[in-house]
């Protein structure tokens, strides 16, 4: 089917989403982190449609979403004890674990890698949808490759509306940044993407945690290319007051953590300095600033702790040109 000429629909009908998915179509789904672009993870046909709609390179593997821990033995070979503990503690929630895949997961889903990323999302609508299906859902963030991830159904419609038949509306995403991606090896946690589960909360399970520093040439998680969360406008991250001086001749937009810079085009992530609130506002505010009549966006790093670390990572990537 070709949806190019059709208006995609935003709605709350789980049954409609289910029927499309059964026909190997793709549907945008809500999760607590960001909206995903979902398809049958066991079907190469559905998975190729995901890559196509997102314009995503085939070397970037997809996360597989399930509704219960008991199900995952169908898809993975073995689960290290520490991984199991993390799953039990953080699921449903913003944690993706990498595990050796069974052959029922197509190579296309994992971009030819032996491991599959799996998570249980914490969103009632999507959990109900998953329970009604006999297959898991592969779902990357529902944004065109390289742009900011969507945290509302409207964000998805704005960018992929003409390419997908249905957007299941589950309101605004409560966490607002993507899941933390990790694997356990030799009793050590290796974090490949910082996200909604903080390093501090992982430290309660083991002191042995390694955070993969990203590089453009050989990213730890294939999707972790430097300019991954980029808005279209140039974004500079540093001391906002100094940056305002340097860019005095241009129209500026400001994205601050908690300070009010008293200019018209600004967004404050959390006036009370809450990391969780800042995370839930980050992508929506970046989009809003991107759409304002400004030449550049000036932002600042948050304290490098808890979710601040993941937010800083996204700001760094957004600002790399
Ligand atoms: O919160 C999330 O994780 C959201 C929601 C929709 O669940 N999904 C998401 O998917 O952010 P995506 O595709 O935008 O990012 C997935 C990241 C990519 O960086 C990808 O490279 C990495 O996870 N990843 C997935 N499977 C992997 C694998 N088998 N090995 C290494 N990295 C993997
Ligand atoms: Mg993404």
């Amino acid at each position: 089917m070709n949806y190019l000429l059709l208006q995609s629909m935003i709605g709350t009908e789980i049954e409609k989403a289910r029927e499309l998915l059964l026909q190997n179509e793709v549907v945008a789904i809500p999760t607590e982190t960001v909206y995903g672009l979902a398809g049958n993870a066991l079907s190469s046909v559905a998975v190729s449609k995901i890559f196509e709609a997102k314009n995503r390179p085939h070397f970037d593997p997809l996360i597989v979403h399930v509704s219960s821990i008991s199900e995952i033995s169908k898809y993975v070979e073995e689960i290290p004890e520490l991984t199991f503990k993390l799953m039990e503690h953080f699921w449903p929630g913003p944690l993706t674990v990498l595990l050796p895949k069974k052959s029922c997961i197509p190579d296309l889903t994992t971009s030819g890698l032996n491991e599959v990323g799996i998570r249980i999302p914490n969103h009632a609508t999507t959990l109900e949808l998953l329970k009604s299906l006999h297959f898991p859902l592969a779902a990357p963030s529902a944004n065109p490759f390289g742009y900011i991830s969507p945290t509302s159904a409207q964000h998805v419609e704005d960018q992929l509306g003409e390419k997908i038949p249905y957007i299941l509306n589950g309101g605004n995403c409560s966490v607002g940044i993507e899941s933390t991606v990790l694997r356990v090896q030799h009793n050590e946690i290796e974090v490949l993407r910082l996200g909604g589960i903080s390093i501090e909360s992982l430290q309660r399970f083991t002191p042995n945690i390694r955070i993969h520093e990203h590089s453009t040439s050989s990213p730890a998680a294939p999707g972790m290319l430097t300019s991954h969360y980029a808005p279209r406008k140039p974004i500079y991250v540093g001391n906002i007051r100094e940056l305002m001086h340097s860019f005095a001749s241009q129209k500026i937009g400001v994205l601050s953590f908690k300070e009010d810079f008293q200019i018209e085009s600004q967004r404050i992530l959390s006036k009370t300095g809450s990391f969780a609130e800042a995370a839930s506002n980050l992508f929506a505010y970046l989009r809003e600033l991107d759409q304002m009549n400004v030449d550049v966006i000036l932002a600042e790093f948050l304290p490098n702790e808890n979710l601040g670390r993941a937010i800083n990572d996204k700001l760094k990537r957004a600002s790399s040109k």
Side-chain angles (χ1 to χ4, degrees):
M1 256 202 254
N2 185 348
Y3 295 102
L4 284 176
L5 299 174
L6 296 179
Q7 185 72 5
S8 106
M9 281 178 53
I10 299 183
T12 53
E13 291 167 61
I14 294 176
E15 185 53 32
K16 178 166 179 167
R18 178 175 177 270
E19 271 168 24
L20 286 161
L21 290 163
L22 286 170
Q23 292 160 32
N24 273 340
E25 292 299 336
V26 296
V27 169
I29 55 164
T31 84
E32 81 284 24
T33 58
V34 300
Y35 272 72
L37 186 57
N40 179 350
L42 308 182
S43 156
S44 298
V45 174
V47 169
S48 6
K49 285 184 189 167
I50 297 176
F51 280 99
E52 194 184 313
K54 265 191 71 108
N55 200 13
R56 177 172 173 123
H58 280 86
F59 60 74
D60 193 0
L62 307 181
I63 292 173
V64 171
H65 299 70
V66 297
S67 62
S68 70
I69 292 186
S70 55
E71 232 178 296
I72 80 169
S73 57
K74 286 193 271 183
Y75 310 122
V76 306
E77 294 288 357
E78 57 195 334
I79 307 173
E81 203 182 314
L82 178 54
T83 309
F84 196 79
K85 282 191 189 146
L86 298 174
M87 284 161 30
E88 278 191 316
H89 186 82
F90 292 109
W91 282 356
L95 175 72
T96 295
V97 297
L98 301 180
L99 292 164
K101 81 174 184 77
K102 284 191 172 160
S103 58
C104 61
I105 304 281
D107 286 339
L108 198 56
T109 305
T110 62
S111 300
L113 298 171
N114 296 330
E115 286 176 318
V116 58
I118 299 210
R119 84 177 190 101
I120 302 183
N122 190 12
H123 194 292
T125 307
T126 289
L127 285 172
E128 194 180 328
L129 174 65
L130 281 165
K131 283 188 189 124
S132 77
L133 295 164
H134 59 280
F135 49 77
L137 291 175
S141 49
N143 50 301
F145 184 72
Y147 195 67
I148 305 162
S149 299
T151 53
S152 74
Q154 191 57 52
H155 291 164
V156 182
E157 162 102 285
D158 291 347
Q159 290 186 307
L160 292 179
E162 289 176 343
K163 293 190 173 166
I164 58 176
Y166 196 56
I167 299 167
L168 186 57
N169 192 351
N172 292 341
C173 302
S174 57
V175 174
I177 54 174
E178 295 91 341
S179 60
T180 299
V181 179
L182 62 78
R183 71 159 70 85
V184 169
Q185 237 172 2
H186 312 301
N187 236 13
E188 182 189 58
I189 295 178
E190 200 181 333
V191 175
L192 287 89
R193 177 176 72 179
L194 295 166
I197 299 292
S198 68
I199 299 299
E200 286 82 349
S201 49
L202 295 173
Q203 275 164 346
R204 283 188 268 146
F205 292 83
T206 176
N208 304 325
I209 300 182
R210 196 149 52 94
I211 306 172
H212 253 281
E213 293 301 328
H214 68 273
S215 78
T216 326
S217 52
S218 94
M224 299 307 284
L225 299 173
T226 314
S227 66
H228 205 64
Y229 299 89
R232 313 243 182 262
K233 303 270 168 70
I235 168 162
Y236 295 87
V237 190
N239 179 310
I240 291 178
R241 225 167 284 286
E242 285 171 14
L243 288 168
M244 283 168 82
H245 276 292
S246 315
F247 289 92
S249 62
Q250 302 200 37
K251 279 184 250 152
I252 57 174
V254 164
L255 180 70
S256 72
F257 177 29
K258 52 187 177 182
E259 193 179 338
D260 186 345
F261 285 86
Q262 308 280 345
I263 69 161
E264 199 187 324
S265 306
Q266 76 166 347
R267 287 291 179 272
I268 303 170
L269 287 171
S270 169
K271 286 184 180 150
T272 59
S274 147
F275 288 124
E277 188 186 15
S280 72
N281 286 327
L282 179 69
F283 290 146
Y285 285 0
L286 272 174
R287 268 170 199 265
E288 285 170 24
L289 286 161
D290 208 18
Q291 279 154 20
M292 285 179 194
N293 180 24
V294 299
D295 303 318
V296 290
I297 300 167
L298 310 181
E300 64 187 352
F301 289 120
L302 278 61
N304 212 30
E305 60 192 53
N306 291 307
L307 292 186
R309 212 192 296 251
I311 296 170
N312 289 345
D313 185 61
K314 317 246 170 244
L315 287 172
K316 246 181 254 167
R317 289 173 202 283
S319 67
S320 302
K321 284 284 163 316

